[in-house]
């Protein structure tokens, strides 16, 4: 694997896609924007023109020096050579928007990291590999619905903005992309007594997609008898599959188990 490929570097070359991303972000002159992975700066320079300031976090040192040169006349851009996964977002004093064409290989962990920092974030316009975008926005009862859909939608409103074909990038990637908006919720979608327990139950419910909910939950070492009580009290069928449950169904299960 070449040095560049390892950072998931597929650069946007289609100006019309860049324009649409900037429009979707509806940035005002008071906004601070964080861009993860500015690459060669195609989005960065446009973001600079519409915002108060841009904080661009790029892991590749060589790209950082290229950007320092290329963007030196833009006074409101700070280029930070850091890993977006370990960067301390508390260093940014004000709340901010995030705009990014995410590196595919890290898009899920970066999304989780951003969601951890949700109180600091106004909203995010993010480009993902299409399959990942589809999983994030999926509704119950669909093949894409799973742990990622529940974890993100519990914390944020999600909305697909556009599909982007492979030809918009250089080098051309193997997969298609989609841009979605993720807006952190002030309060989670449903009330959950113990979030760790809730996430554990969600994860276990999707662990083996062909298994029933009951069989998946048995892996958490609950007895048959106890699970019988859980299903009865929450009015959920033990034969259902995880992907048929809404986020509030999962919350009902977790809250009942917590109360025992
Ligand atoms: N924004 C540019 C564009 O649209 O043309 C580049 C997008 S490219 C898909 C992803 C960028 O993220 C690359 O510049 C890559 O070096 C950078 N990157 C990869 N891993 C990163 C990480 N952990 N933290 C920050 N940037 C990262």
């Amino acid at each position: 694997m070449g040095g560049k490929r390892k950072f998931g570097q597929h650069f946007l070359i289609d100006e019309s896609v860049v324009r649409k991303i900037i429009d979707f972000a509806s940035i005002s002159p008071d906004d601070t924007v964080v861009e993860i992975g500015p690459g060669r700066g195609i989005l960065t320079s446009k973001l600079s023109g519409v915002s108060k300031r841009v904080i661009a976090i790029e892991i590749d040192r060589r790209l950082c020096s290229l950007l320092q040169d290329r963007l030196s006349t833009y006074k409101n851009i700070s280029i930070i050579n850091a890993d977006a996964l370990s960067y301390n977002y508390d260093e940014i004093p004000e709340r901010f928007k995030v705009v990014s064409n995410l590196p595919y290989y890290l898009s899920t962990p970066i999304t989780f990291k951003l969601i951890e920092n949700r109180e600091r974030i106004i909203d995010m316009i993010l480009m993902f590999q299409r399959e990942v975008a589809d999983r994030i926005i999926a509704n119950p009862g669909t093949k894409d619905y799973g742990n990622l859909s529940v974890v993100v939608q519990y914390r944020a409103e999600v909305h697909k903005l556009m599909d982007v074909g492979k030809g918009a990038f250089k080098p051309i990637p193997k997969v298609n992309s989609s841009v979605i908006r993720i807006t952190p919720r002030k309060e989670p979608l449903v009330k959950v007594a113990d979030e760790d327990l809730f996430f554990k139950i969600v994860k276990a419910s999707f662990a083996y997609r062909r298994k029933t909910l009951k069989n998946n939950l048995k892996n958490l070492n609950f007895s048959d008898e106890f699970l019988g009580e859980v299903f009865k009290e929450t009015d959920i069928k033990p034969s259902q599959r995880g992907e048929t449950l809404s986020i509030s169904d999962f919350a009902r299960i977790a809250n009942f188990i917590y109360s025992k």
Side-chain angles (χ1 to χ4, degrees), residues 7-12 35 37-39 58-59 83-84 101 103 105-106:
F7 294 130
Q9 291 170 351
H10 295 281
F11 301 106
L12 256 176
E35 186 189 4
E58 173 57 62
I59 198 168
D83 180 343
N101 169 16
Y105 78 109
L106 265 189

Side-chain angles (χ1 to χ4, degrees), residues 132-194:
V132 177
D134 286 345
R135 282 163 51 210
I136 290 175
I137 63 171
N139 289 320
T142 64
K143 71 171 178 21
D144 293 320
Y145 183 67
N147 189 57
L148 184 62
S149 334
V150 175
V151 173
V152 176
Q153 293 177 32
Y154 171 69
R155 300 267 192 227
E157 283 181 41
V158 296
H159 183 64
K160 189 173 193 167
L161 298 172
M162 67 168 162
D163 287 331
V164 180
K166 302 170 191 180
F169 306 90
K170 205 174 170 186
I172 295 183
K174 289 201 180 71
V175 294
N176 287 310
S177 296
S178 298
V179 178
I180 63 180
R181 171 179 282 122
I182 301 182
T183 311
R185 301 177 190 278
K186 290 209 172 62
E187 299 293 335
L189 180 64
V190 288
K191 268 210 155 46
V192 163
D194 177 336

Side-chain angles (χ1 to χ4, degrees), residues 3-4 6-13 18 21 35-44 56-61 63 67 80-87 89 99-106 110 127 168-170:
K4 288 182 182 169
K6 83 167 187 256
F7 294 130
Q9 291 170 351
H10 295 281
F11 301 106
L12 256 176
I13 51 165
V18 171
I21 291 175
E35 186 189 4
I36 291 169
R40 295 185 180 142
I42 190 163
L43 283 163
T44 327
I57 304 170
E58 173 57 62
I59 198 168
D60 185 335
R61 213 167 346 105
L63 282 177
L67 286 169
I80 298 178
N81 184 201
D83 180 343
L85 265 189
S86 50
Y87 180 72
Y89 293 87
V99 176
S100 174
N101 169 16
L102 289 170
Y104 295 141
Y105 78 109
L106 265 189
I110 291 178
M127 173 111 69
F169 306 90
K170 205 174 170 186

